[in-house]
Amino acid sequence: MVESSQNVTVVALLADPDAPTEVAQHMARDLPARLADASGQHRRFDVEVVSEPFTGGTEDLPTVTRRLVERGQGEDWGVVVALTDLPLHTQGRKLVADLSHEHNLALLSLPSLGGLRLRRRARRAVEEAVLSLADGQAAGAGEPDHRRPPRELTGRLAPVHPAPVGDEEAADLRYVLDGPRGYLRVLGGMVRANRPWRLVPGLSKALAAALATGAIAAVNSTLWSLAVSLDTPRLVIAMVGSIALMIGWLIVDAHLWHRAAQDSPEAKKRAALYNASTVVTVAIGVLVCYAGLLVVNLVWALFILNDQVFASTTRTPLTAAEYWTLAWFVASVATVGGALGSGLESDEAIRAAAYSKREQERRRMLEDDGD
């Protein structure tokens, strides 16, 4: 990595493919101007976005850092900020960011920023990291007093704290997440990285089975009678049961449950975090599917049902309440049909719909190691 000129600092946003690259490209639009305004030293910043899988095949922090240092050698980059959607750990804690003023390098784990306002948080964290590294450049690498900690990472309300760095490690500043709030924050970030809203269109066969089941059930007179006889608690139980069945079936059938590769407490905690993100990701996707089925079944019922036939069969007039009750119950039945239809999907299709590219690669690596 070469030194930047006196007035121009070249910032490389080295991003893992998929979501990190999208985040980097989005922030690169106005990042040079924001950095120039914030630096206040009449400096100019040029930003380059480089998309490549620098975390491929490993979760080991020293290995990732070494790759980044080697990648920056020989390039005309003044500062390198690496973005990954893979949750990284150090000494049993969840890593937020590593900064190395010696190598003008910052590593940022996006899941540690949470699932809400990710782009804004990432942009501010990158700005602070770049300014911290640029200040170190201007003052000289041997003067740590001039290195300011990134305020976005150490804010009063953020569950982020500085952590000690080993003597043999490249980083000189490190920030980690602690406590229940930190756990929930990284869990939210992992779920966002998985993009659970992509689960529904990614499971075309399961969705087709659910829609077909709903269409047939909506015109079944036996289900009419059963639906109008159910009170609200039983409808809720049917809804929760069908959703739980769908979630469990997808996780078990596609082998989404993660087992700890080692018997250490740290490995078990990491496996629990991955499994929690899997359950939440699949649950959100199934809830979106259920809501969609509810709307489709309600529209279908409004179109197809005849009030006289319905009343003669159920001895109940077809009112708005009956339309809603029937659509609600049929959505639960259709969700069960979708769970059975998901068995026609390949494991690869379900994983592609449920996980980010980084997570898919990580799980393939674990399977290969297990073989």
Side-chain angles (χ1 to χ4, degrees), residues 211-224 300 326 329-331 333-334:
L211 291 173
T213 302
I216 296 173
V219 296
N220 187 293
S221 59
T222 302
L223 284 179
W224 296 352
W300 176 245
L326 180 61
F329 182 60
V330 169
V333 175

Side-chain angles (χ1 to χ4, degrees), residues 246-276:
M246 181 74 159
I247 294 172
W249 181 264
L250 286 173
I251 292 176
V252 173
D253 185 59
H255 307 288
L256 301 183
W257 198 254
H258 175 73
R259 298 184 181 276
Q262 301 174 351
D263 199 28
S264 64
E266 182 177 346
K268 291 181 179 179
K269 289 181 181 180
R270 188 177 304 183
L273 179 62
Y274 281 122
N275 288 329

